[in-house]
Amino acid sequence: MGTTGQLSAVPEPKYWHLRTVLLRAIDSEFSTGQVLPNERELSARFGVARATLRQALDQLELEGRLVRRRGIGTLIAAPRVGVPVNRQEEGWPGTARNQAWRTVDCTTAPASAQLAKGLGIAEGATVHTVRRVRLVEGRAVASESLHVPAAALPHLPGFRAESDRARSVLRQLERLEVDGESRSVELGVAEAEQAALLERPPGAPVLVMTTQYASAGRLVALAVATYRADTCKLTFGEAGLVEVTPVGATAEVRTAS
Amino acid sequence: MGTTGQLSAVPEPKYWHLRTVLLRAIDSEFSTGQVLPNERELSARFGVARATLRQALDQLELEGRLVRRRGIGTLIAAPRVGVPVNRQEEGWPGTARNQAWRTVDCTTAPASAQLAKGLGIAEGATVHTVRRVRLVEGRAVASESLHVPAAALPHLPGFRAESDRARSVLRQLERLEVDGESRSVELGVAEAEQAALLERPPGAPVLVMTTQYASAGRLVALAVATYRADTCKLTFGEAGLVEVTPVGATAEVRTAS
DNA sequence: GAGTGGTCTAGACCACCGA
DNA sequence: CGGTGGTCTAGACCACTCT
């Protein structure tokens, strides 16, 4: 005994310790938008390899505390914006005067097996798909694919320009009196296409929200929305019982011991 | 011109390309629980450094497609389980015959500034905190801190054993007729303590769900729950309009082009 | 002990940004 | 152009698990 004699129960990895140190520094000594020293200097200052330092920064970026911009530097991130996902706030029926969504394109095609299952229809049935981007303060925070079976929209006018068709689909949906919805949220990463729409590199973490809309007991739409996980906090429920909860996301909520 | 002459618009990083290749392989050639070849062999097979291969595996793990176990290997992950977060399903009022939650401990202490703000009470006011772990099929999927101002529980009996006090707090809350809730979900990473409860290493990605419960227009509880992002998909709303939507999390929902 | 994933290093080159 | 973060390499050692 004594060869590796240590009292340290589980020697914390360097990068994790570094993360903690940096997190404290961020909380106490820096403010939003401020740039950190560059990675080469930080790694030297802490006496670790650059890769190790980067591992710590990766964590903090995942937590939404840092933003790294190629060619610029590493900045302190602004607190995440709360994005309401109520049906009303979402501006979904009510497209008219809500600038929060920008339509990208609209396609009509037979449903894939996967999509058919999600919509509860037969594979190959015709489905309209509207792709939209959600904007908050001018920045893209989410991209959504809204799938609507053609069968659910009996009165859709014939051929039109793409942008017109998108509007038609949304308006028809609005008239359908959606009376129920079922949502799920999980973690994902942005594929190339999504990433481009969200102005992020491929592989960026996203919150994938899948919503089934029902009308008169039947599914009438399936929406798959990917929200930037770095900048977004999804908010549900009766809008704002009390103002946004600023309780630390990751940091534990502690009462004095 | 011609010095770096390439037609490839944006040369995809190797690790991202690798991820795509591996993802296809996972989808087509492997099934849940199966183990992949080890990292050294895979990196050799693809002709990349091990670190690069690991970067690709990191992505797939974040997407919940792989599980890596030290000393064992890299396995194909089971599909994420849908975890309902309705008030009923949550077994929150209704603690009695719901085995889904296991109480860890219960403390009573003055509220920190942060916590006070989240609860809309004065800093230093007494708050009961019940920590619980949510189990699904015997596995811990979430850990929750439920904060309840003492002022909201007028009839709480005096001193008791910790486990008894936890029960009392929950039962009192149950009688309070919660009539509203406001939730938010964001991405975080597990700190040491959470990580231990969730049987995950520190830094593991989690979905942080913050819930404010109201009764008669007043906030009566604040819950901060961290769900394992690797294995969980949070499901909201009128439980199951249709069965679970198996639409790919990250994979785009595509209609034939 | 043999095999696995986890951490860490020291260095290189690239892509992007601003001056 | 110089400075930044992003990618990639080849190697080392550690912690863990199973046999």
Side-chain angles (χ1 to χ4, degrees):
Chain A
M1 41 191 161
T3 57
T4 51
Q6 299 272 348
L7 284 181
S8 66
V10 175
E12 203 176 38
K14 276 189 190 178
Y15 79 88
W16 185 256
H17 180 244
L18 246 185
R19 182 207 83 113
T20 308
V21 171
L22 288 170
L23 185 54
R24 260 200 290 273
I26 290 172
D27 280 332
S28 63
E29 300 166 34
F30 292 86
S31 55
T32 297
Q34 210 167 345
V35 309
L36 262 56
N38 71 56
E39 296 183 350
R40 288 162 180 88
E41 181 180 334
L42 280 177
S43 59
R45 188 183 300 181
F46 288 108
V48 299
R50 193 178 152 216
T52 304
L53 171 78
R54 280 182 61 79
Q55 223 177 330
L57 296 182
D58 286 344
Q59 289 282 344
L60 292 168
E61 195 177 23
L62 201 63
E63 298 173 53
R65 304 301 304 266
L66 294 180
V67 179
R68 293 195 274 188
R69 295 207 204 145
R70 164 140 49 174
I72 305 289
T74 302
L75 323 179
I76 309 297
R80 291 198 175 115
V81 287
V83 181
V85 291
N86 302 321
R87 194 151 68 239
Q88 310 86 317
E89 299 269 4
E90 228 177 4
W92 182 64
T95 318
R97 65 184 177 292
N98 199 321
Q99 261 67 6
W101 292 94
R102 179 173 61 79
T103 299
V104 174
D105 58 22
C106 177
T107 60
T108 301
S112 68
Q114 211 182 29
L115 180 54
K117 204 168 168 191
L119 276 168
I121 60 176
E123 181 176 350
T126 303
V127 172
H128 301 293
T129 299
V130 178
R131 280 205 307 169
R132 304 190 298 173
V133 170
R134 183 165 185 176
L135 307 171
V136 170
E137 292 162 25
R139 316 293 303 175
V141 297
S143 107
E144 180 193 70
S145 288
L146 182 62
H147 306 280
V148 187
L153 303 180
H155 308 310
L156 195 70
F159 286 6
R160 286 165 166 242
E162 195 177 288
S163 65
D164 284 343
R165 207 170 56 231
R167 249 192 301 278
S168 283
V169 170
L170 291 171
R171 211 169 317 158
Q172 286 273 320
L173 216 43
E174 198 174 336
R175 296 209 186 103
L176 231 48
E177 284 190 21
V178 170
D179 53 19
E181 65 205 35
S182 169
R183 292 197 151 96
S184 76
V185 175
E186 65 185 311
L187 179 58
V189 305
E191 303 271 357
E193 203 172 354
Q194 307 288 320
L197 289 172
L198 298 180
E199 302 166 357
R200 296 251 64 203
V206 292
L207 297 173
V208 180
M209 185 173 78
T210 306
T211 311
Q212 297 175 312
Y213 294 97
S215 174
R218 285 178 46 78
L219 278 184
V220 293
L222 176 68
V224 180
T226 64
Y227 285 81
R228 288 178 57 151
D230 57 343
T231 54
C232 290
K233 176 171 60 170
L234 304 181
T235 66
F236 296 85
E238 301 97 45
L241 295 175
V242 157
E243 252 318 283
V244 173
T245 313
V247 164
T250 299
E252 201 150 349
V253 179
R254 292 206 166 284
T255 52
S257 68
Chain B
M1 38 188 159
T3 58
T4 52
Q6 298 272 350
L7 283 181
S8 65
V10 175
E12 205 177 34
K14 276 188 189 177
Y15 79 89
W16 185 255
H17 180 245
L18 246 185
R19 182 207 82 113
T20 308
V21 171
L22 288 170
L23 184 54
R24 259 199 292 272
I26 290 172
D27 281 331
S28 62
E29 299 165 36
F30 292 86
S31 55
T32 299
Q34 210 167 346
V35 310
L36 263 55
N38 72 55
E39 296 183 350
R40 288 160 180 87
E41 180 179 334
L42 279 178
S43 58
R45 186 183 302 181
F46 288 107
V48 299
R50 193 178 152 217
T52 304
L53 172 78
R54 279 182 60 79
Q55 223 177 330
L57 296 182
D58 286 343
Q59 289 282 342
L60 292 167
E61 196 178 22
L62 200 65
E63 298 173 52
R65 304 302 302 265
L66 294 179
V67 178
R68 292 193 273 187
R69 296 208 203 142
R70 178 160 14 194
I72 305 289
T74 302
L75 323 179
I76 309 296
R80 291 199 174 114
V81 288
V83 181
V85 291
N86 304 320
R87 193 151 69 237
Q88 309 87 318
E89 299 269 4
E90 228 177 5
W92 181 64
T95 318
R97 64 185 179 289
N98 198 323
Q99 261 67 7
W101 292 93
R102 179 173 61 80
T103 299
V104 173
D105 58 21
C106 177
T107 60
T108 300
S112 67
Q114 211 182 30
L115 181 53
K117 204 167 169 191
L119 276 168
I121 60 177
E123 181 174 351
T126 302
V127 172
H128 302 293
T129 298
V130 178
R131 280 204 308 169
R132 305 189 297 173
V133 170
R134 182 165 185 176
L135 307 171
V136 170
E137 293 161 26
R139 316 294 301 175
V141 297
S143 107
E144 181 193 70
S145 287
L146 182 62
H147 306 280
V148 186
L153 302 180
H155 308 312
L156 196 70
F159 286 6
R160 285 163 166 244
E162 195 176 290
S163 64
D164 285 343
R165 208 170 55 232
R167 250 192 302 277
S168 283
V169 169
L170 291 172
R171 212 169 317 157
Q172 286 275 318
L173 215 43
E174 199 173 335
R175 296 210 187 103
L176 231 47
E177 285 191 20
V178 170
D179 53 18
E181 64 205 35
S182 169
R183 292 197 151 97
S184 75
V185 175
E186 65 185 310
L187 178 59
V189 305
E191 303 270 357
E193 203 172 355
Q194 307 288 319
L197 289 171
L198 299 180
E199 302 165 358
R200 297 251 62 203
V206 292
L207 297 173
V208 180
M209 186 173 78
T210 306
T211 310
Q212 297 175 313
Y213 294 97
S215 174
R218 284 179 45 79
L219 279 184
V220 294
L222 175 69
V224 181
T226 64
Y227 284 80
R228 288 178 56 150
D230 57 343
T231 55
C232 290
K233 176 170 61 171
L234 306 181
T235 65
F236 296 85
E238 300 97 46
L241 293 176
V242 158
E243 253 317 283
V244 173
T245 314
V247 164
T250 298
E252 202 150 351
V253 180
R254 292 206 165 285
T255 52
S257 67

